[in-house]
Amino acid sequence: MSSAGPQGLQAVPEALQDRESWLDPFDWYRRMREEAPVRYDPGRRTWDVFRYEDVKRALDDDETFSVDPREADDFEEPEQPGAGFILDTMLFEDPPRHGELRGVVDDWFQPRTLADREPHFRELAGELLDDAVDDSGEMDVVADLAYPFPVTVIAQLLGIPPSDRGRFKTWSDTLVAAASDDEGADEFTERQQQSQMEMAQYFLEAVEDRRENPRDDLLTVIATEESDTGGRLSHEEALGTCILLLVAGNITTTNLLANAVRSFAEADAVRFEELRGDERALSNAIEEVLRYRSPVQAMSRVAVEDVRMGGETIEAGDRVVVWLGSANRDERRFDDADTFDPDRSPNQHLGFGHGTHYCLGAPLARLEAEVGLSELLDRVENVRLADATLQPTRSSFVYGVESLPIRYDER
Ligand code: HEM
């Protein structure tokens, strides 16, 4: 887990390299918040920031902390042409261009727009669960619901036909994964770049098709905003936006759903039952999952001017990783920070980031979690975690498990 991809997020600190510590990084975070809240890691040539106030400040101050990895002194251009499309997106652009890129697709992710599609999302989740829930009393939350549901939703919003969705899942997983022990860093980077090239080629053709045959989908919005059609997006930005939308919302939402079931089942089966039919309680509990087991643990920035933080001087050109997962457990900010409290209020977690780059897909992710979990609760009761060794998600910044077997009683 050591190669540095274009996102600059691939390098994992020494302390989190093994299975156990990546499943439970929270003790390490706590120690770091006390002993070295802002520290330089020479191995990764990166600063790490652990406390809530510092993380929030870095996310707030986009004049000092850029999202553009190309600002880093040690940035290396990806070798393969096209491998850097993802860099031409809102996620890696600072204002003012950031706002223009986000503005192209913003409307599609507003709660009021999504509300129209909710019945359809519910149907999709229902179909997956009808296949999974039976008198065996066992299912794998990840394989049966959390994995297929978000990719189907975003593929549908984009306008990707069902027959192509399997390929997309593989591409998008490769892009956010970390290298494994049995694959070298170079081989892994090559595989990631290959996936990005294949996706780019696919989207190129799809965008061209939508220019001729417009439909009610996101690909059409992007196609009509492409510069060839007189729109606001360069060719690379149009492709990058397609790839970003597909990748950003898959593994993240998968892990929100699985982390939710894991946290609810561990906390107290009775509390889990109480969420059935109580929309407010369920959405509050989902916010607590976003805090307690944040699907995205870390984000990357580059200092563009010298800045003092936590008694240290971060210099212009240095890379900085802000640990959202640690900020969300900071006892300076949250009472009983290490306790999962589904009724917690207020709950100003940073699970979707903060400031300019606050997650575009947050309303969609929340809706998917509410729909997926309420459909599950409609079908099962007495949910317990099955006896299994949990494996952490293969990613350097996404927190969750590869599979989550549960036992339940059918309702
Ligand atoms: C940005 C988390 C789901 C699309 C972000 C950021 C975080 C985040 C922390 C901030 C990045 C930064 O500051 O550098 C999550 C989590 C999700 C989730 C935890 C699920 C539980 C989604 C979904 C989509 C999406 C479903 C859409 C399909 C985006 C985009 C950005 C973003 C486009 C970039 C926004 C910008 O730069 O203005 N997300 N995300 N995310 N997310 Fe999400």
Side-chain angles (χ1 to χ4, degrees), residues 8 37 86 102 130 135 144-145 245 299 301 340-341:
I86 199 91
R102 187 161 165 142
D130 286 342
D135 56 14
D144 294 336
L145 174 69
L245 291 180
M299 291 314 316
R301 294 291 187 268
F340 179 76
D341 172 8

Side-chain angles (χ1 to χ4, degrees), residues 287-306:
E287 294 307 304
E288 179 66 344
V289 177
L290 284 156
R291 183 195 73 84
Y292 182 75
R293 287 197 167 116
S294 313
V296 172
Q297 291 283 304
M299 291 314 316
S300 214
R301 294 291 187 268
V302 180
V304 285
E305 45 192 66
D306 293 1

Side-chain angles (χ1 to χ4, degrees), residues 9-10 37 51 56 59 63 80 83 99 154 183 211 222 246 251 294 328 341 359 376 390 402:
L9 274 166
Q10 310 289 17
R51 287 188 184 169
K56 185 158 170 268
L59 295 175
E63 300 214 335
Q80 258 177 291
I154 191 65
E183 185 180 34
R211 238 181 262 150
I222 293 166
L246 186 77
I251 194 175
S294 313
N328 285 339
D341 172 8
C359 177
L376 177 67
L390 297 177
E402 286 283 294

Side-chain angles (χ1 to χ4, degrees), residues 200-384:
Q201 186 56 37
Y202 180 95
F203 279 127
L204 192 69
E205 287 164 23
V207 164
E208 266 164 26
D209 169 72
R210 290 311 190 278
R211 238 181 262 150
E212 307 297 315
N213 311 300
R215 290 188 217 158
D216 178 27
D217 61 24
L218 267 164
L219 280 173
T220 303
V221 172
I222 293 166
T224 49
E225 286 286 358
E226 229 233 358
S227 54
D228 287 359
T229 346
R232 293 175 278 180
L233 297 178
S234 73
H235 183 62
E236 290 76 17
E237 286 167 344
L239 285 181
T241 304
C242 296
I243 295 176
L244 173 65
L245 291 180
L246 186 77
V247 172
N250 278 347
I251 194 175
T252 47
T253 313
T254 295
N255 284 296
L256 174 57
L257 277 158
N259 292 349
V261 175
R262 182 175 165 207
S263 306
F264 297 164
E266 267 175 11
D268 178 349
V270 180
R271 286 293 297 126
F272 200 22
E273 301 293 306
E274 282 170 9
L275 300 175
R276 184 179 300 114
D278 187 341
E279 239 175 75
R280 253 179 95 108
L282 179 58
S283 78
N284 215 63
I286 291 168
E287 294 307 304
E288 179 66 344
V289 177
L290 284 156
R291 183 195 73 84
Y292 182 75
R293 287 197 167 116
S294 313
V296 172
Q297 291 283 304
M299 291 314 316
S300 214
R301 294 291 187 268
V302 180
V304 285
E305 45 192 66
D306 293 1
V307 57
R308 295 279 298 165
M309 189 179 261
E312 304 283 343
T313 302
I314 301 174
E315 290 182 8
D318 287 355
R319 283 193 287 134
V320 179
V321 167
V322 292
W323 289 90
L324 308 176
S326 168
N328 285 339
R329 294 285 191 113
D330 191 340
E331 39 295 286
R332 289 160 198 78
R333 177 74 198 195
F334 300 100
D335 293 338
D336 295 325
D338 283 327
T339 304
F340 179 76
D341 172 8
D343 300 319
R344 187 179 291 276
S345 174
N347 189 352
Q348 302 269 306
H349 65 77
L350 302 175
F352 286 123
H354 176 75
T356 305
H357 294 273
Y358 182 81
C359 177
L360 171 77
L364 177 60
R366 286 183 168 122
L367 181 61
E368 289 177 280
E370 279 165 35
V371 165
L373 293 166
S374 59
E375 290 297 312
L376 177 67
L377 279 162
D378 277 353
R379 289 168 176 76
V380 301
E381 58 192 10
N382 193 16
V383 171
R384 309 70 91 194

